[in-house]
Structures are given as C-alpha cells and as structure tokens.
Amino acid sequence: GISSIMKNNILATIGASIDTRGPADRYKIANDIKEWLETTYGKRWAVLIGDTGRYQLTASQYESKFMRVNETNLKWTIDVFQQVP
C-alpha cells in the first residue's frame, strides 16, 4: 500500500502543483503529479481530478497503491493510484 511517508510526499506534491499552476489548469496539475510519482515511485501511475460530489471513480485495474484526497478549498476529489502492469 501507500506508506505514511509516501502519503505525506504525495500530499506535498499535490499542494505544490496547485500552488504553481493555479486551480484553472487541472490537466497540468494531474500531469505534474503523475510525472513526479513515476520518477519517484516507478511507472504506471494515474492521477484523476474531479469535482467533489459530481465525480465517481469505478476502477479495478490498480494495485494496492491507491489514495483519495479531498481538496476542500477547491472542492476537488483527487484519486492517485498505480495501475496493474
């Protein structure tokens, strides 16, 4: 799974990308996070950002590395997971 150290690093990266890009550029934020994850923790990561309350992920093609973040200020749900090879 995702360790507490890994979780803290992911949260810091999400925050830094939002601060750098601004909330209007979700695609680049998701891509920044994905590229950082793949550089840091290996290949096959996915990052999905949707509006909280209107977003639902249905997936079965991920390993035990899955994390959901609710960004309350922006009302976003961010799912981060490593895909099955």
Side-chain angles (χ1 to χ4, degrees):
I2 294 180
S3 70
S4 58
I5 292 171
M6 191 174 175
K7 183 184 291 187
N8 288 336
N9 291 339
I10 292 169
L11 290 171
T13 300
I14 290 170
S17 186
I18 291 169
D19 290 345
T20 300
R21 299 282 185 186
D25 208 343
R26 289 187 203 189
Y27 175 79
K28 287 184 180 176
I29 291 167
N31 195 56
D32 287 349
I33 299 164
K34 178 187 181 304
E35 286 180 0
W36 176 83
L37 284 162
E38 290 187 343
T39 299
T40 307
Y41 296 111
K43 298 293 182 196
R44 303 179 94 50
W45 284 89
V47 177
L48 307 172
I49 301 174
D51 295 321
T52 300
R54 292 191 282 163
Y55 167 80
Q56 180 177 352
L57 172 68
T58 305
S60 62
Q61 299 299 314
Y62 60 87
E63 293 184 10
S64 62
K65 293 181 179 154
F66 175 86
M67 181 174 153
R68 173 164 283 172
V69 176
N70 290 310
E71 209 310 329
T72 55
N73 291 332
L74 298 174
K75 297 184 175 87
W76 288 355
T77 298
I78 303 168
D79 287 332
V80 175
F81 60 93
Q82 191 170 34
Q83 302 173 68
V84 173

